[in-house]
């Protein structure tokens, strides 16, 4: 949804609450923010990745999740990602004036991540990582969850997302580079183009 700020600027803001028997999630995102992030999911490495998303996307992001971590981190990460995608979609509104497409490549030491996004209104994910990654980062983050995070986000945000890591050795670097590149690509795609008016599609709707 959009609102008019005190300075006359348009603020694009999304807020989603998701409550199940497994988790309670609150996500707020301001697409026109400054990168202020307040995140607490109980999963340290995932918090670190969400901080990358907000900081490098210049999104003001609040995430508060309480989940069944006594089982494992799966439900907590999954439901937070679903709520994040839904909040992002709400913040985009009808997408009038956005650039729509964005891409970024981000290195992190030996790892490189390449991300391209289309705010198409159609969820689709292509994801490729190096084989043989360490199965865990810390005690709580299963590295197979990275793809599931992106799947969940894409499903609710209704975007087309291509993520590729052609090389990298350290699992922490491989995952973090993806979040940084995703942040930069989303920032570019969601920015308002001063030359554009209306929805950037020949269909008239995204």
């Amino acid at each position: 949804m959009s609102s008019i700020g005190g300075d006359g600027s348009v603020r694009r803001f999304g807020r989603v609450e998701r409550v199940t028997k497994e988790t309670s999630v609150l996500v707020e995102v301001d697409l026109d923010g400054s990168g202020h992030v307040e995140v607490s999911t109980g999963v340290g490495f995932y918090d670190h990745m969400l901080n990358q998303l907000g900081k490098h996307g210049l999104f003001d992001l609040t995430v508060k999740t309480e989940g069944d971590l006594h089982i494992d981190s799966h439900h907590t990460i999954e439901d937070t990602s679903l709520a994040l995608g839904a909040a992002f979609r709400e913040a985009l509104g009808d997408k009038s004036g956005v650039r729509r497409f964005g891409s970024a490549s981000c290195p992190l030491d030996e790892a490189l991540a390449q991300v391209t996004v289309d705010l198409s209104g159609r969820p689709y994910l292509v994801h490729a990582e190096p084989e043989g990654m360490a199965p865990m980062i810390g005690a709580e983050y299963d590295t197979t969850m990275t793809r599931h995070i992106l799947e969940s986000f894409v499903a609710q945000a209704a975007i087309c997302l291509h993520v590729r890591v052609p090389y990298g050795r350290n699992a922490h670097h491989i995952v973090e580079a993806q979040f940084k590149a995703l942040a930069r690509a989303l920032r570019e795609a969601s920015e308002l183009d001063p030359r554009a008016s209306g929805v950037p599609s020949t269909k008239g709707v995204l």
Side-chain angles (χ1 to χ4, degrees), residues 100-138:
R100 178 176 171 176
F101 301 99
S103 61
S105 294
C106 289
L108 182 53
D109 294 347
E110 86 297 342
L112 176 70
Q114 301 166 328
V115 173
T116 301
V117 62
D118 175 11
L119 307 181
S120 61
R122 301 182 305 276
Y124 200 96
L125 174 67
V126 176
H127 181 254
E129 291 177 319
E131 295 182 359
M133 286 177 59
M136 299 293 293
I137 298 174

Side-chain angles (χ1 to χ4, degrees), residues 129-190:
E129 291 177 319
E131 295 182 359
M133 286 177 59
M136 299 293 293
I137 298 174
E140 299 170 328
Y141 189 88
D142 178 346
T143 54
T144 65
M145 286 300 293
T146 303
R147 178 175 297 178
H148 193 46
I149 289 167
L150 299 176
E151 288 171 339
S152 301
F153 178 79
V154 162
Q156 292 298 310
I159 64 174
C160 175
L161 179 64
H162 289 237
V163 179
R164 178 173 178 261
V165 182
Y167 47 80
R169 293 187 308 275
N170 181 274
H172 187 134
H173 293 170
I174 290 169
V175 178
E176 184 170 337
Q178 291 177 66
F179 276 86
K180 287 178 173 176
L182 174 62
R184 297 291 297 194
L186 286 173
R187 173 181 167 184
E188 180 180 356
S190 63

Side-chain angles (χ1 to χ4, degrees), residues 8-81:
S9 62
V10 176
R11 309 299 295 184
R12 295 172 297 159
F13 181 81
R15 185 180 193 275
V16 169
E17 291 187 76
R18 177 185 172 90
V19 179
T20 71
K21 293 181 179 180
E22 298 166 340
T23 63
S24 175
V25 184
L26 168 66
V27 174
E28 297 177 339
V29 60
D30 182 347
L31 300 182
D32 304 297
S34 59
H36 177 74
V37 180
E38 294 183 17
V39 171
S40 176
T41 69
V43 184
F45 183 76
Y46 186 47
D47 287 357
H48 181 44
M49 295 303 98
L50 294 176
N51 269 279
Q52 304 303 317
L53 187 66
K55 181 67 174 181
H56 294 286
L58 291 182
F59 307 131
D60 288 348
L61 180 62
T62 298
V63 178
K64 297 178 181 178
T65 301
E66 295 182 1
D68 55 357
L69 293 176
H70 61 286
I71 296 176
D72 66 12
S73 62
H74 185 104
H75 298 143
T76 296
I77 293 173
E78 177 183 58
D79 287 0
T80 301
S81 303

